[in-house]
């Protein structure tokens, strides 16, 4: 199976191509401006590295958020266009999972992924870590879900205010995501000796979105481009239906 997968939920654009032989060709770039054009160029770069044509893709993987509204719209538009033109299905995954399952050096306990959602809110999900992954040689983030005991807790991805988030966190807690920069002091006042992961683990990686796309394929979560939609969580960020009713 050849697939091209992207995630544009954060300030980083992540693109990866996995070929049928299992080789992975990925890039992660920070684009402050001109994201749409540069994302297309990043896809071309990965295609050149892989030696494949875009028509050789069997599936297109995409992180559906939650995250940056503009970033998600750009990424989903590109994947929808490719899927429609080439008549190939899409494989979707949570962008918060793409942060959680990135082979970080977790300690046993719980993990809170927290991404800045503006307005003193965060996009968040909690995970259980059954055993330490420090020093692990495993490079497959979804395999870490089993071998290192990282498991998502219900409910699913959520939009939480900071006070509500602080009520949910407890001891033996690790934190990842760009909201750490904003709320580090609040967390330190609540949690004794929290584990703040290094900044390089705050964002999806080519390896994590590769594994999540494979997991989506295994679970038969393929959808066509007409059913592809972003997980915005903010109700007011999808105003089309409400405007039509006025």
């Amino acid at each position: 199976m050849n697939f091209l997968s992207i995630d544009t939920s954060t300030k980083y654009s992540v693109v990866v191509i996995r070929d049928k032989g299992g080789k992975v060709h990925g890039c992660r770039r920070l684009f402050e401006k001109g994201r749409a054009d540069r994302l297309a160029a990043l896809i071309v770069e990965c295609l050149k590295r892989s030696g494949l044509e875009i028509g050789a893709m069997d599936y297109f993987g995409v992180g559906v958020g939650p995250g940056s509204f503009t970033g998600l719209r750009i990424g989903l538009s590109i994947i929808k266009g490719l899927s429609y033109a080439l008549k190939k299905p899409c494989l979707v995954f949570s962008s918060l999972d793409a942060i959680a399952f990135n082979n970080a050096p977790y300690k046993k306990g719980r993990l809170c992924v927290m991404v800045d959602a503006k307005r003193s809110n965060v996009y968040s999900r909690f995970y259980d870590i059954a055993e330490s992954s420090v020093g692990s040689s495993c490079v497959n983030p979804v395999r870490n879900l089993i071998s290192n005991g990282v498991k998502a807790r219900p409910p699913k991805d959520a939009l939480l205010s900071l006070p509500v988030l602080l009520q949910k966190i407890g001891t033996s807690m690790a934190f990842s995501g760009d909201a750490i920069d904003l709320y580090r002091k609040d967390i330190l006042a609540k949690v004794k000796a929290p584990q703040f992961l290094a900044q390089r683990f705050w964002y999806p990686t080519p390896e994590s979105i590769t594994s999540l796309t494979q997991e989506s394929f295994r679970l038969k979560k393929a959808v066509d481009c007409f059913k592809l939609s972003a997980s915005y969580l903010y109700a007011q960020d999808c105003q089309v239906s409400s405007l039509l009713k006025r």
Side-chain angles (χ1 to χ4, degrees), residues 135-173:
S136 170
S137 61
C138 178
V139 296
N140 186 320
V142 171
R143 195 176 298 144
N144 280 357
L145 181 70
I146 300 171
S147 66
N148 292 326
V150 181
K151 182 178 181 181
R153 294 171 57 93
K156 295 183 179 180
D157 303 344
L159 175 69
L160 303 176
S161 66
L162 180 61
V164 171
L165 177 71
L166 292 175
Q167 289 177 0
K168 292 179 177 294
I169 63 179
T171 59
S172 301
M173 183 74 72

Side-chain angles (χ1 to χ4, degrees), residues 45-91:
E45 180 180 340
C46 287
L47 285 169
K48 288 181 178 179
R49 290 184 183 185
S50 70
L52 297 172
E53 300 290 336
I54 191 66
M57 298 301 112
D58 298 302
Y59 292 89
F60 294 102
V62 61
V64 294
S68 164
F69 310 142
T70 301
L72 287 172
R73 288 166 183 158
I74 291 171
L76 286 167
S77 294
I78 288 178
I79 291 299
K80 281 184 175 183
L82 291 172
S83 174
Y84 177 77
L86 298 173
K87 297 181 174 58
K88 300 293 176 66
C90 302
L91 297 164

